[in-house]
Amino acid sequence: MRNRLPRFGGSQLKHLFALTAGPVALLFAFISTAQAHTPPAAAVASAHPVATAAGHEILAAGGNAFDAAVAVSATLAVVEPAGSGIGGGGFWLLHRAEDDFQVMIDGRERAPLAAHRDLYLDEKGEVIPGLSMNGPLAAGIPGEPAALVHIAEKYGRLPLKQSLAPAIRAAREGFAVNEQYQKLAGFRHKKMRADAATANIFLLDNEVPAIGHLIKQPDLANTLEAMAKHGRAGFYNGAVADKLIKGVRDAGGIWSQQDLDEYTVVERQPIRGEYRGIQITSAAPPSSGGIALVTMLNILSGFELDKIDTAHQTHIIVEAMRRAYRDRADYLGDPDFVDIPTERLTHPFYADGLRNTMRLDRATASSALPGVARDSAGQDTTHFSILDQDGNRVAATLSINYPFGAVFVPAGTGVLLNNEMDDFSAKPGIPNAYGLVGAEANAIAPGKRPLSSMTPTFLETDDRVAILGTPGGSRIITMVLLGALEFAAGKPPADWVSRPRFHHQFLPDAIQFEPDALSQQTQEKLSQLGHQLKPMKRRYGNMHGILWQTQENNVQAASDPRGGGSAPVKTH
Ligand code: GLY
């Protein structure tokens, strides 16, 4: 396409296209550049202090980052039930220090085998509201239990039983309701009341409990104990599996024992890219996160952002977001079912082409491109980051999708089911709960994994290693982008996680932004450039980041001030 040249000042212009040339071979040389020595301390950054403590407890007991990841994941399932759980799934990005091996453990949910493309449509072909959101028909086959067993057995040092112990203890002894819990339970209150098992566990007399109220989960403790004793069979076979299937089917769901038998985790090659000397390692499909992140950074690598005024800088970043999210809607889905042009989408030359479609003096209207969408909520999911003293790393983003998932617990299991089926495109062009549209690539099919935005990420230079990610629905990828740009600017984790955020997802065609993200002057300039602005009432996201400065050899960690998490750095 034609490169429309900017119409503003030459002195600004000369900085804009700085980096489009260069040997391509170098861009694909992903040699680990971290220093050989090990970190002086370990760090765990998660959304809940009890889960963070579980991670450090396991590290102190001689476990590695992977054992700690099992402990943190399982404990978050107990103490942050709105965000993730063993009734859901996620992506665990692992880096093993001894051989620089990196892998993404795909524990994403799968559509039940009885699911089909038109599962959520009525006889007229219209989407039936709520069917992919609430109740057992909304739930994919959980992947987190299989992933935890897999990580413990293949990468951990400790027995699964030991790594699950903090979660079992928290489920038996209870966790105290906090503000975050109250907010999300308030958001889903009506639906929570509608399912007796959910209400009995998570509400008090059908109301959102007061801060400090202890929520005990004996059924969940029993289910976790079955996993501790029998591994994956403790969840996918036997008494727990029988109760899961009966509970789901009695309430109109379609799970079968064959679904549970056939569920497997998949080890996938992470998506890789390079931005101004920073190696990017991020989530592979069925997450869209890594591809979209690399596409955006490839586009941005042609600009010297730090030399451009804030309004034009924001404009350029927004235009990169718009283009990456357009591609997300068009191309991405479960790689076991659809061919994804990963190499093309992450290639610098492709980004050159996208960059050439951008006008620097005017917003591109998304309406010039296909698709429709609506607003997104983005209060779901969870992320944690871990670095151990051997230099092993985990970035994990886990989900049951919407807050409290499908708000459905099969009786006697304590397992709150996900509503990840809503991440499929129920009908091409019709937006899901996050306002995201999809096409054929993300249509429902038996056994298929729904497309995700979860973006656990490592960033690496000669002297710095970053581990980061966040929950937040469709906004996850742009939050990680903004965090990565902070890292690129040499800022510490406290800045990555706290910086004010803005977002564009192609459709709706508007810049969504936090109350403090854009000054009045920047807003005016962006409007003049033709952008629609959509100020948000609340801040969003809950990022957890760790930085290891390998030459100075120090470790810093930070949890997002928007959430109630913690990120202590400790020696063990
Ligand atoms: N359920 C949110 C995501 O996977 O993107």
Side-chain angles (χ1 to χ4, degrees):
M1 279 197 224
R2 200 159 61 88
N3 178 9
R4 295 185 189 96
L5 286 173
R7 302 206 179 131
F8 59 95
S11 60
Q12 278 175 311
L13 188 58
K14 72 175 182 236
H15 299 301
L16 295 179
F17 291 101
L19 252 192
T20 51
V24 174
L26 275 184
L27 295 169
F28 291 94
F30 301 111
I31 298 158
S32 177
T33 50
Q35 304 297 299
H37 56 72
T38 51
V44 180
S46 92
H48 200 290
V50 173
T52 301
H56 274 298
E57 177 183 328
I58 290 302
L59 293 174
N64 59 17
F66 314 124
D67 298 305
V70 172
V72 174
S73 305
T75 306
L76 284 170
V78 176
V79 302
E80 199 203 21
S84 70
I86 59 169
F91 303 117
W92 290 255
L93 189 62
L94 312 185
H95 170 94
R96 190 170 56 201
E98 66 186 22
D99 54 0
D100 280 345
F101 174 75
Q102 295 185 327
V103 69
M104 185 186 91
I105 307 300
D106 170 0
R108 182 73 164 163
E109 299 89 334
R110 268 172 49 130
L113 294 166
H116 55 89
R117 190 194 156 86
D118 298 338
L119 186 62
Y120 302 115
L121 305 185
D122 64 17
E123 62 283 354
K124 291 192 193 119
E126 303 299 332
V127 174
I128 302 168
L131 212 55
S132 64
M133 286 291 289
N134 309 305
L137 208 56
I141 305 304
E144 181 161 323
L148 298 188
V149 174
H150 181 83
I151 293 168
E153 287 178 351
K154 188 158 178 195
Y155 298 99
R157 270 190 214 133
L158 302 180
L160 178 67
K161 189 175 170 179
Q162 192 171 351
S163 301
L164 291 181
I168 294 168
R169 194 174 64 226
R172 290 226 180 277
E173 293 177 1
F175 74 92
V177 167
N178 60 15
E179 254 178 59
Q180 197 81 356
Y181 181 96
Q182 275 199 328
K183 191 175 82 180
L184 296 176
F187 178 61
R188 295 287 265 156
H189 186 200
K190 210 166 134 198
K191 294 294 174 202
M192 290 171 87
R193 288 170 73 133
D195 178 54
T198 304
N200 281 340
I201 300 166
F202 297 111
L203 300 177
L204 183 62
D205 298 329
N206 268 336
E207 297 302 327
V208 176
I211 286 182
H213 170 74
L214 272 192
I215 293 186
K216 297 185 181 177
Q217 300 174 76
D219 285 342
L220 180 58
N222 292 340
T223 297
L224 287 165
E225 265 168 6
M227 284 172 57
K229 206 163 164 190
H230 303 295
R232 72 162 277 151
F235 185 91
Y236 296 91
N237 299 98
V240 170
D242 290 347
K243 284 184 207 161
L244 287 171
I245 291 167
K246 179 168 172 19
V248 162
R249 295 190 78 91
D250 285 356
I254 54 175
W255 289 14
S256 67
Q257 183 58 48
Q258 191 185 351
D259 281 312
L260 299 183
D261 290 341
E262 285 189 10
Y263 186 87
T264 48
V265 297
V266 183
E267 292 210 343
R268 300 196 192 270
Q269 281 296 313
I271 294 295
R272 298 179 192 280
E274 192 271 350
Y275 174 74
R276 297 189 165 242
I278 299 168
Q279 292 172 42
I280 306 149
T281 306
S282 192
S287 176
S288 57
I291 290 179
L293 179 66
V294 169
T295 301
M296 291 187 288
L297 286 169
N298 281 344
I299 294 172
L300 296 178
S301 70
F303 301 97
E304 291 195 47
L305 289 176
D306 55 343
K307 299 203 171 87
I308 300 171
D309 67 89
T310 308
H312 284 97
Q313 193 185 99
T314 308
H315 164 69
I316 287 164
I317 295 171
V318 162
E319 292 302 321
M321 291 173 174
R322 183 198 307 277
R323 282 157 179 78
Y325 274 76
R326 196 213 74 86
D327 283 356
R328 180 196 194 278
D330 223 10
Y331 295 116
L332 302 188
D334 182 347
D336 296 338
F337 283 72
V338 291
D339 285 332
I340 298 175
T342 302
E343 207 180 317
R344 174 157 68 89
L345 296 175
T346 57
H347 198 288
F349 287 173
Y350 179 70
D352 291 348
L354 292 180
R355 195 184 310 110
N356 285 343
T357 68
M358 287 165 57
R359 282 184 67 142
L360 300 171
D361 63 340
R362 190 178 300 174
T364 307
S366 292
S367 58
L369 304 163
V372 285
R374 64 173 200 226
D375 193 13
S376 65
Q379 300 282 334
D380 63 289
T381 311
T382 196
H383 174 86
F384 65 84
S385 297
I386 300 179
L387 173 72
D388 72 17
Q389 280 179 254
D390 291 325
N392 297 309
R393 310 172 213 153
V394 179
T397 313
L398 318 177
S399 186
I400 51 173
N401 198 24
Y402 230 50
F404 292 94
V407 281
F408 179 80
V409 176
T413 65
V415 178
L416 184 58
L417 299 190
N418 69 85
N419 61 353
E420 222 73 67
M421 292 293 285
D422 190 66
D423 276 348
F424 280 117
S425 170
K427 185 178 171 181
I430 299 296
N432 73 359
Y434 299 111
L436 291 166
V437 286
E440 209 46 48
N442 192 31
I444 304 169
K448 189 174 175 185
R449 284 153 147 93
L451 184 61
S452 171
S453 299
M454 295 189 284
T455 314
T457 296
F458 302 142
L459 303 170
E460 213 170 325
T461 67
D462 285 352
D463 59 357
R464 293 183 302 153
V465 172
I467 308 167
L468 75 162
T470 180
S474 58
R475 299 190 195 107
I476 289 175
I477 315 170
T478 58
M479 284 188 260
V480 174
L481 171 72
L482 296 177
L485 292 175
E486 294 292 310
F487 173 83
K491 302 281 178 52
D495 289 23
W496 320 340
V497 303
S498 63
R499 69 148 290 158
R501 293 171 177 146
F502 58 89
H503 170 78
H504 196 292
Q505 61 180 48
F506 169 61
L507 292 169
D509 189 351
I511 304 175
Q512 303 168 30
F513 60 100
E514 291 186 321
D516 52 352
L518 305 174
S519 70
Q520 199 53 42
Q521 195 192 19
T522 300
Q523 289 180 46
E524 280 163 19
K525 281 194 192 161
L526 287 167
S527 293
Q528 283 162 14
L529 288 169
H531 289 284
Q532 299 295 316
L533 298 178
K534 185 166 184 215
M536 305 189 62
K537 289 197 183 71
R538 279 185 289 274
R539 305 181 83 200
Y540 60 88
N542 195 3
M543 182 174 281
H544 304 282
I546 296 173
L547 171 68
W548 174 24
Q549 292 177 294
T550 53
Q551 269 164 18
E552 294 160 34
N553 207 17
N554 75 54
V555 175
Q556 299 171 47
S559 278
D560 201 316
R562 298 163 182 81
S566 63
V569 175
K570 293 185 180 183
T571 50
H572 294 294

